[in-house]
Each structure stands twice: as structure tokens, then as C-alpha cells.
């Protein structure tokens, strides 16, 4: 780092994703004096799990204002850029700085206005999406992710179907089922493929790993299912969906510990018009990979303060592991604080402050950039909540593994890649007969992962299927996650005139007066 | 606020401000609104959050719009999408023209 150009004053922290993690990152950075641009694809902050369920009021579908929204709206240093998509990241003018290219406007419209931000620090909170394992009939209309069912129910007051089954693994199936009940659907059953009994049914373990809040949350889900008379069966899963133009019936089977269907246990359930499936989550890795962040076991590698392996880039929330909204909020808060602390440190170092050293001097130097270095007690408190969240996440992952028996649910003609309509048989031939030994090779040999979703839906499952044929992991498991264009952009827009890189700061007075206390945990 | 008027394959519907295209189509009883390029198989909403690209359709003549993400605006014209369709008009005119049979199909859908 020899003589980097000075960072802007006050420095600009760009936060991508305004869910539980991103909104806390924005708040904590802004409260320490940074300018923050909070970019999100949705109209409102809160992500998918932290907003009030919508209602139709005065002829408008909308949810009541969440306290989090108020906190962000009343923070003058935060500019919330809604309905926006970050489609590319580039290294910026100096190490640690990045150019963030985004477009804003109605989803997938043409001519969405482009904008480029020069981020002095970048906090990635892009979250995760439901993982769905392939099974016969999963491409039929009416088969949706558990997240889709919940998003439509809570955000749009719309039931994906009238007679639904929920299947998969993990506690996140429960709120999906409840959201369906809430919009009037009949839920025929929740089929949990795993057997999390030892953990989820042991209050002591949940208390130890997650604390009383999570215990209460799980208890309320269980009570809700009981009220709705929804059967909850462990070691069972929907292993096939049937229908011509949409789902009409499902086959539910009992599974052994390895998720092989127990012969003779298959039961047909009909009529069914919605199947809501989720086998955990897949972090949205495009931007971390574009920034060059190290990824291990499908998650972004961060240190004890949410810094990734790339200077100036932080990650929080489901990118670093799945542990629920509370954990994501703590990680976001810590990431925002760490970003500011590093920027203040950087300003102090480049101002030649290395010779004399007290914290008071540093605070004074920080004030030169408009930054107030975060109080150590706040950092420690956030870090403690992050560690608790990580324990919960690890316990969750242990309680909900995805063993390989699901491969036995597939038939020769079961689609593995929905976009390119590649069957299990074609995938096997590509690996076994044509020597495709990696994700790139598979794309070329059989088109799996080549379609519109760019392997987002099939990538992990395809890698596992190929690995089973090969007898060893594929060479390039993240190849499908490396997408130079993180989000699609219309060719006409890409070919349009470039906009000027610039910060476009919100008009704020850089002061370091602490905000009126607003509890970040507004759940 | 007043209900909005939108059109789905020419049919008039009332929509609520804030309603997504996918939510309206589900509410009108549709399960699918696209057919696949290769097998001609029906598809509708799947991931619900803009990741899977299964719910693509045509909004105001522009194809490949994700129904789950797009909020309706008054007067929007939504069309179901059969197979692949290339954008015409606007800034993308002239990049590639639809093949004759696709143009026919587009007319049929419109």
C-alpha cells in the first residue's frame, strides 16, 4: 500500500443487500460517521424475513412500517437505493476500494438508469436462496421453493396453492408452512427429511446454542402447526411430484438415515396443487467471488470481525453461514463497525499518525475524516452475539445434513438442470461416457448449468451427482458461481454510454454526534 | 388508492399497487405462463425471489421479465411467453431479429 489516493471524506461504505445483515451494517457504519449507500433489489428494507406481513390496506398491498425502516429512513447519512441491482464489481482506484456498478428501476426493465459508486469499503450481505434437490416432477408448475411460498404469502397475501405440502429439511420449513396457513391454504403435511429430534426437541440444546429468543421462536412455530392441525413428519420427504401441466399429486416416502427411500413406504397424496420445497440454502456468491474473496464449503471466509480475505471487503449474514435473522443482524452490525474501524485506522496511518499512539489521538484523526472509531464495548457486544449465532448455525447444520441418498430419488428422465432441460441420464452420460469431470466441462458436454439461471438452481446438486459418478469431488465446484455479470443486464443497457464513476454523496453534514439511541434489534 | 387496470394476454384485470406480476397471475388461477424452449413444457413461479428465471414473461412487449420481481404498474400489458422470444423495439432493436416462426408465435400470443 504505497501512497494510495486519500479516501473520500467522510468515507463511503457501500452495503449490498438490505436484509437483516445489510440494514444493520448500514446503521452501524452510519452511526460512526461514514456515508453509506445501501443497495437492495427490493422496494423496502428488511429482506425477506424481517418485515411485517403485508396486508391490503386502502387498496394497496403493503406491510406496515418496520422499526428497522424507520431507523434507516431517519439516518441522514444512509442513502437507500431501492429496486437496484449490482451487476458488476471492479477493483477501485486503490487497494481496498471497489467500483460498484448498479442499475436501478423496475425489475428487468430496459433502460434502468446505471450508476457507479466508488466504495471505500464494501459490505456484502447478499444472502442466500433456497436449495432444492431435484426429484421426479420438480419442474412441474406448482412445485416451488419454501421461500417462494413464504414470500408470496407474506409479501403479497397470495397462496401458491389451495392444497399444499411442505418438504425438505430445516426449521425454515415451519414458518413457510405457517405463512401458507395464514393466507388460507390447506397444508396437508410438513415432511422433514432429517431427524433433528435430538436437537430441536431438546430445549436445553436450543437454549445452549441459540438462547431463549430462538427457543421461543421454534416453540411458536410448533404451536402454530398444532393449531392448524398440520402433521409434521420427520424422516419423510416428497420424492416425486406427478401431474401433466401442473402438480396434481405427490409421492411421500419414509427415508432411512442416508435418505434412501424405505421400500414399500411410498404413499401417494392427492389432490395437491402446491409443493413447497427447501433443503437448506445456497449463499449468493457472485459478488464475493467477483471481489476475489476466499470461499470454503460454499461460504465466504471471514475473520472474527467479518472481514473477508480481500482488504476493504466485509461479508455478513447468510453469505457466511445460515443461522437465522438474529445472527445475520449481529454479523451485519459487526461488519459495519469493522469497516469504519479499518477506514479510521487507514486514515490515521496515512496521516502519519504512526509515531504517537493513544486512542484519543486516533479518535481525533478519525474525526478528520468524519469518522468516530466504534466504541470497543459495542464491537465486543456485537462480536459476542456473532459467536452465539455461529454456534446456533453450526448446530443447525449438524442437525440438518443433506446425505446423498436423494440421488436415488432420481430416474433416468428426471431433469437435473431445469433451464436447459438436461436429464439425469444425460448428465451421467456426460460424466461417464464423455469424461466431463468439472462444472465447466459439464456445461459444454451436456449444457447443465448453461441456462438462464446460470447454475444457481442446479449447480450444487449437479456437482454432487457428478462427484458420485466420478468417485471424487469435481475439479471446479464454484465454476458456476463465477459470473462476470453478477446479475443479468440487458444488452442494450450494457452497450449504452458509460456513466461517470463517482460517489454521488447524499447531502449530509459530516458530524460525529451519536444518533438518538435506536435499538438495532427491533424484532 | 385506486385499483390499477392491467392486461394479461389482452384480458383486463384489476391489480393492486405493490402487487407483483406473479401474484396477480396466481390470483387469477394461472399456474404457468411460459413454455420451455426445448421441450415446450409449462413453467411458472419457482424460487419467487428472482434467482431461477423460470417465471419469465413479456411485459409491455419486453420479454424475459421475471414475474416474481416485477411490480405491476397501471396499464401494464403482460403476455405469456412461449419458447424463446427476442426483444424488439427500444434500444435493443436490430441486435437480433426474431426468426419468422417466433414472430408468428409472438403474434399468436399477443
Amino acid at each position: 500500500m504505497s501512497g494510495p489516493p486519500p479516501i473520500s471524506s467522510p468515507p463511503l461504505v457501500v452495503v449490498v443487500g438490505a436484509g437483516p445483515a445489510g440494514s444493520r451494517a448500514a446503521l452501524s457504519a452510519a452511526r460512526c460517521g461514514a456515508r453509506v449507500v445501501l443497495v437492495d433489489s427490493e422496494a423496502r428494507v428488511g429482506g425477506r424475513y424481517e418485515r411485517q406481513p403485508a396486508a391490503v390496506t386502502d387498496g394497496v398491498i403493503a406491510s406496515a412500517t418496520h422499526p428497522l425502516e424507520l431507523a434507516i429512513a431517519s439516518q441522514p447519512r444512509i442513502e437507500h437505493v431501492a429496486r437496484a441491482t449490482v451487476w458488476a464489481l471492479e477493483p477501485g482506484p486503490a487497494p481496498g476500494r471497489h467500483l460498484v456498478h448498479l442499475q436501478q428501476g423496475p425489475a428487468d426493465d430496459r433502460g434502468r438508469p446505471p450508476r457507479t459508486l466508488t466504495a471505500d469499503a464494501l459490505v456484502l450481505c447478499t444472502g442466500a436462496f433456497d436449495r432444492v434437490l431435484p426429484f421426479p416432477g420438480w419442474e412441474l408448475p406448482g412445485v416451488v421453493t419454501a421461500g417462494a411460498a413464504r414470500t408470496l404469502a407474506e409479501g403479497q397475501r397470495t397462496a401458491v396453492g389451495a392444497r399444499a405440502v411442505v418438504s425438505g429439511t430445516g426449521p425454515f420449513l415451519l414458518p413457510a408452512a405457517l405463512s401458507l396457513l395464514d393466507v388460507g391454504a390447506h397444508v396437508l403435511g410438513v415432511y422433514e427429511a432429517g431427524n433433528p429430534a435430538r436437537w430441536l426437541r431438546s430445549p436445553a440444546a436450543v437454549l445452549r446454542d441459540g438462547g431463549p429468543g430462538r427457543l421461543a421462536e421454534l416453540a411458536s412455530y410448533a404451536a402454530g402447526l398444532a393449531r392448524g392441525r398440520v402433521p409434521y413428519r420427520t424422516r419423510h420427504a416428497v420424492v416425486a411430484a406427478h401431474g401433466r401441466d401442473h402438480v396434481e399429486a405427490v409421492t411421500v416416502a419414509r427415508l432411512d438415515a442416508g435418505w434412501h427411500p424405505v421400500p414399500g413406504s411410498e404413499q401417494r397424496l392427492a389432490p395437491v396443487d402446491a409443493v413447497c420445497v427447501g433443503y437448506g440454502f445456497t449463499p449468493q456468491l457472485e459478488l464475493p467471488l467477483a471481489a476475489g474473496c476466499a470461499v470454503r464449503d460454499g461460504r465466504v471466509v471471514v475473520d472474527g470481525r467479518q472481514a473477508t480475505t480481500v482488504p476493504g471487503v466485509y461479508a455478513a449474514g447468510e453469505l457466511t453461514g445460515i443461522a437465522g435473522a438474529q445472527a445475520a443482524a449481529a454479523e451485519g452490525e459487526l461488519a459495519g463497525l469493522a469497516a469504519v474501524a479499518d477506514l479510521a485506522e487507514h486514515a490515521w496511518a496515512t496521516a502519519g499518525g504512526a509515531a504517537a499512539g493513544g486512542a484519543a489521538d486516533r479518535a481525533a484523526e478519525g474525526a478528520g475524516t468524519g469518522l468516530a472509531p466504534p466504541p470497543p464495548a459495542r464491537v465486543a457486544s456485537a462480536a459476542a452475539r456473532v459467536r452465539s449465532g455461529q454456534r446456533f448455525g453450526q448446530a443447525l447444520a449438524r442437525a440438518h445434513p443433506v446425505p446423498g441418498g436423494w440421488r436415488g430419488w432420481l430416474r433416468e428422465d428426471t431433469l437435473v438442470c431445469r433451464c436447459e432441460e438436461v436429464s439425469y441420464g444425460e448428465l451421467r452420460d456426460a460424466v461417464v461416457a464423455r469424461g466431463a469431470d468439472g462444472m465447466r466441462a459439464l456445461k459444454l458436454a451436456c449444457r447443465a448449468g448453461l441456462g438462464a439461471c446460470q447454475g444457481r438452481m442446479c449447480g450444487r446438486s449437479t456437482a454432487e451427482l457428478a462427484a458420485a459418478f466420478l468417485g471424487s469431488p469435481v475439479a471446479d465446484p464454484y465454476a458456476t458461481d463465477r459470473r462476470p455479470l453478477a446479475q443479468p443486464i440487458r444488452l442494450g443497457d450494457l452497450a449504452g454510454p458509460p456513466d461517470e464513476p463517482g460517489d454521488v454523496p447524499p447531502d449530509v453534514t459530516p458530524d460525529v454526534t451519536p444518533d438518538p439511541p435506536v435499538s438495532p434489534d427491533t424484532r | 388508492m385506486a385499483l390499477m387496470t392491467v392486461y394479461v394476454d389482452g384480458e383486463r384485470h384489476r391489480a393492486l399497487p405493490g402487487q407483483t406480476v406473479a401474484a396477480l397471475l396466481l390470483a387469477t388461477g394461472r399456474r404457468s405462463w411460459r413454455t420451455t424452449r426445448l421441450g415446450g413444457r409449462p413453467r411458472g413461479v419457482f424460487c419467487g425471489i428472482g434467482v431461477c428465471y423460470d417465471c419469465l414473461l413479456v411485459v409491455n412487449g419486453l420479454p424475459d421479465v421475471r414475474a416474481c420481481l416485477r411490480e405491476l404498474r397501471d396499464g401494464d400489458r403482460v403476455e405469456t411467453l412461449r419458447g424463446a422470444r427476442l426483444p424488439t423495439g427500444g434500444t435493443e432493436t436490430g441486435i437480433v431479429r426474431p426468426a419468422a416462426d417466433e414472430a408468428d408465435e409472438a403474434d399468436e400470443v399477443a
Side-chain angles (χ1 to χ4, degrees):
Chain A
M1 296 237 281
S2 58
I7 53 178
S8 46
S9 182
L12 177 66
V13 177
V14 175
V15 180
V16 185
S23 38
R24 264 50 165 238
L27 281 171
S28 68
R31 284 174 183 155
C32 293
R35 274 190 302 129
V36 176
V37 176
L38 175 60
V39 187
D40 192 57
S41 59
E42 302 272 328
R44 296 171 65 176
V45 301
R48 287 184 288 280
Y49 296 114
E50 218 170 18
R51 78 181 84 176
Q52 317 282 357
V56 179
T57 313
D58 298 332
V60 180
I61 290 190
S63 48
T65 306
H66 192 282
L68 193 60
E69 290 189 279
L70 287 177
I72 285 174
S74 59
Q75 171 49 262
R77 281 186 290 273
I78 298 177
E79 183 196 0
H80 173 215
V81 179
R83 296 191 173 92
T85 318
V86 174
W87 60 271
L89 275 185
E90 281 183 279
R97 302 175 72 190
H98 290 84
L99 298 181
V100 182
H101 299 280
L102 58 92
Q103 273 192 307
Q104 191 178 16
D108 296 332
D109 210 357
R110 66 155 60 93
R112 303 171 81 209
R115 183 170 165 189
T116 300
L117 304 165
T118 305
D120 297 313
L122 181 61
V123 186
L124 300 174
C125 307
T126 48
F129 52 86
D130 292 80
R131 180 182 187 194
V132 178
L133 299 174
F135 57 87
W138 73 310
E139 74 279 13
L140 285 169
V143 180
V144 302
T145 67
R150 189 172 171 188
T151 301
L152 281 158
E154 291 183 351
Q156 296 281 321
R157 307 304 298 167
T158 301
V160 287
R163 290 175 57 84
V165 295
V166 177
S167 183
T169 193
F172 300 97
L173 297 178
L174 306 177
L178 292 180
S179 73
L180 283 164
L181 290 175
D182 196 40
V183 288
H186 180 46
V187 181
L188 280 69
V190 176
Y191 299 99
E192 161 61 63
N195 187 16
R198 270 177 311 176
W199 184 63
L200 280 182
R201 291 187 192 154
S202 151
V206 180
L207 262 176
R208 185 191 65 222
D209 295 327
R214 291 182 179 98
L215 187 63
E217 189 179 349
L218 290 171
S220 82
Y221 293 153
L225 288 186
R227 265 199 312 280
R229 296 177 193 286
V230 177
Y232 175 78
R233 309 285 300 275
T234 57
R235 288 269 169 87
H236 280 73
V238 169
V239 295
H242 317 279
R244 223 179 73 81
D245 290 329
H246 55 84
V247 63
E248 293 162 20
V250 293
T251 299
V252 173
R254 201 155 81 77
L255 305 178
D256 68 16
W259 288 16
H260 306 279
V262 174
S265 72
E266 294 89 350
Q267 266 187 307
R268 202 176 163 102
L269 232 60
V272 162
D273 64 359
V275 185
C276 311
V277 190
Y279 286 91
F281 297 87
T282 301
Q284 201 117 35
L285 291 176
E286 294 89 350
L287 294 180
L289 287 172
C293 303
V295 170
R296 193 185 305 135
D297 298 330
R299 298 192 295 262
V300 177
V301 177
V302 290
D303 64 11
R305 45 206 294 285
Q306 306 302 130
T308 69
T309 53
V310 176
V313 182
Y314 307 80
E318 296 182 326
L319 282 178
T320 69
I322 309 301
Q326 287 176 41
E331 290 189 10
E333 186 184 347
L334 185 59
L337 295 173
V340 170
D342 290 349
L343 286 169
E345 180 79 13
H346 175 83
W348 176 76
T350 51
D361 292 340
R362 295 191 184 205
E365 292 293 345
T369 58
L371 295 180
R378 222 153 104 194
V379 176
S381 149
R385 278 176 284 126
V386 165
R387 286 192 298 273
S388 151
Q390 282 167 348
R391 280 196 302 277
F392 181 72
Q394 285 156 7
L396 204 60
R398 273 197 306 275
H400 294 280
V402 178
W406 62 268
R407 296 194 299 268
W409 309 350
L410 308 188
R411 292 191 309 247
E412 188 76 7
D413 62 351
T414 303
L415 294 190
V416 289
C417 168
R418 302 167 61 89
C419 301
E420 292 295 304
E421 298 169 84
V422 181
S423 71
Y424 181 50
E426 288 173 286
L427 179 81
R428 187 199 52 228
D429 290 348
V431 177
V432 175
R434 302 176 62 195
D437 59 355
M439 301 305 286
R440 255 185 66 76
L442 275 172
K443 277 193 191 183
L444 299 174
C446 71
R447 307 184 319 277
L450 197 61
C453 89
Q454 289 288 289
R456 288 176 175 91
M457 286 294 123
C458 67
R460 281 174 75 183
S461 303
T462 302
E464 282 190 38
L465 290 169
F469 291 128
L470 290 165
S472 64
V474 292
D476 51 354
Y478 302 120
T480 48
D481 293 309
R482 291 187 198 282
R483 303 175 183 112
L485 298 185
Q487 293 291 323
I489 172 170
R490 292 199 180 265
L491 280 174
D493 293 347
L494 197 57
D499 60 317
E500 285 298 308
D503 294 346
V504 202
D507 190 17
V508 295
T509 326
D511 72 54
V512 292
T513 319
D515 299 313
V518 179
S519 163
D521 281 304
T522 42
R523 296 165 54 75
Chain B
M1 196 189 280
L3 288 174
M4 306 185 297
T5 303
V6 300
Y7 301 87
V8 179
D9 287 336
E11 199 177 287
R12 196 182 149 104
H13 287 278
R14 292 297 198 182
L16 297 163
Q19 196 167 23
T20 61
V21 175
L24 174 74
L25 292 176
L26 287 170
T28 60
R30 289 172 197 251
R31 314 307 311 268
S32 60
W33 44 82
R34 177 176 83 90
T35 56
T36 58
R37 253 175 332 119
L38 304 165
R41 302 290 300 145
R43 294 284 171 88
V45 73
F46 180 65
C47 81
I49 56 169
V51 179
C52 77
Y53 297 82
D54 249 358
C55 66
L56 300 178
L57 40 59
V58 184
V59 177
N60 301 328
L62 189 66
D64 301 332
V65 173
R66 285 169 284 181
C68 67
L69 294 185
R70 183 64 169 264
E71 285 185 10
L72 287 158
R73 287 178 298 182
D74 196 30
D76 272 349
R77 292 179 177 274
V78 175
E79 298 162 60
T80 49
L81 185 58
R82 292 186 38 189
R85 180 159 152 192
L86 292 163
T88 53
T91 54
E92 279 156 299
T93 307
I95 292 174
V96 198
R97 282 284 176 195
D101 55 342
E102 282 170 338
D104 289 344
E105 191 170 88
D107 288 340
E108 185 188 314
V109 174

